[in-house]
Amino acid sequence: RKEVEQDPGPFNVPEGATVAFNCTYSNSASQSFFWYRQDCRKEPKLLMSVYSSGNEDGRFTAQLNRASQYISLLIRDSKLSDSATYLCVVRLFSGGYNKLIFGAGTRLAVHP
Amino acid sequence: SQTIHQWPATLVQPVGSPLSLECTVEGTSNPNLYWYRQAAGRGLQLLFYSVGIGQISSEVPQNLSASRPQDRQFILSSKKLLLSDSGFYLCAGTVIGETQYFGPGTRLLVL
C-alpha cells in the first residue's frame, strides 16, 4: 500500500465549478499535512497546510480527519488558473529527521 | 525568505557519462537540504537529505551520490548515468519549523 494515496484524475471541470480532492495516508504517526500545487514542468509549491479543525484560504478549504487518516481539498468557483496537479503531503519524524511523503498527485483541468 | 537555485534547467546526457547537479540556498543558514527525483507522471521520490556540511543520508540505493561541501550548497552526482536516471530532479530546503521549499528543478534526459 502506498504511504499517501490520491486519485490521479484528471478532473475536468468547467469554470465556476466546485471540485474536491481526497487523499489517504497509511502512517498514523504522521504529524503534519499539506497540499502542494505543481504546474506542468515546474516545481511543487506550497498551497496550504491542513489542520484538524479545518482551514480555509480564499476559495480553498482543507480538512483533516486523523481517525480515518483522510485529507481533503475543496476548491470553490474554479478558475482556469487552478489547472495544475495537486499533491497531498504528510510529514512524519522518521530516521532522525522530518520526512515529507508525497502523493503522486491529482490532476485538475479547468475549462472555459 | 529562502530561495533555492538549481542549474542547469535542462540536461541531455549520454548513457555512461558523469553527472553533477548543483543546488544553492539563499536567505537562510543551516537548512536541511533534500534531493528528490520525479519520474514522468509519478510522485516525488526522496533520494538524499542533509542536515549539515558533510552529512548525507541516502533513502534508496542507487547509481547516484550527494555531497554538501558548504552549508548552502548541495550537489548530486553520478559517475556513470543509466537510462533509468532520467527524470526531474528537485532540490528542496527547510529550516526547523518551516515547510519545504523547492528549487526550479533540473530536467535530465539520458539517451
Side-chain angles (χ1 to χ4, degrees), chain A residues 59-108:
Chain A
R59 298 181 292 107
F60 299 83
T61 301
Q63 295 275 357
L64 166 65
N65 184 322
R66 282 189 182 269
S68 303
Q69 296 181 197
Y70 171 95
I71 306 162
S72 66
L73 176 68
L74 183 77
I75 305 176
R76 292 182 300 278
D77 188 24
S78 298
K79 310 291 185 193
L80 293 175
S81 57
D82 293 333
S83 297
T85 298
Y86 291 83
L87 307 176
C88 177
V89 185
V90 304
R91 179 165 67 197
L92 57 87
F93 192 75
S94 171
Y97 76 105
N98 278 315
K99 181 177 178 179
L100 289 192
I101 311 293
F102 288 79
T106 299
R107 195 155 61 89
L108 171 66

Side-chain angles (χ1 to χ4, degrees), chain B residues 54-68:
Chain B
Q55 300 180 65
I56 308 293
S57 295
S58 173
E59 276 293 299
V60 293
Q62 58 207 317
N63 183 41
L64 302 167
S65 62
S67 62
R68 188 163 175 182

Side-chain angles (χ1 to χ4, degrees), chain A residues 20-84:
Chain A
F21 304 141
N22 303 318
C23 165
T24 57
Y25 60 95
S26 60
N27 194 325
S28 59
S30 298
Q31 300 165 318
S32 306
F33 309 88
F34 310 91
W35 284 101
Y36 276 71
R37 170 193 168 130
Q38 185 173 24
D39 291 295
C40 188
R41 303 179 72 82
K42 297 288 189 180
E43 75 274 22
K45 293 185 178 177
L46 178 66
L47 179 64
M48 58 197 302
S49 300
V50 188
Y51 305 111
S52 298
S53 54
N55 49 298
E56 191 173 303
D57 182 1
R59 298 181 292 107
F60 299 83
T61 301
Q63 295 275 357
L64 166 65
N65 184 322
R66 282 189 182 269
S68 303
Q69 296 181 197
Y70 171 95
I71 306 162
S72 66
L73 176 68
L74 183 77
I75 305 176
R76 292 182 300 278
D77 188 24
S78 298
K79 310 291 185 193
L80 293 175
S81 57
D82 293 333
S83 297

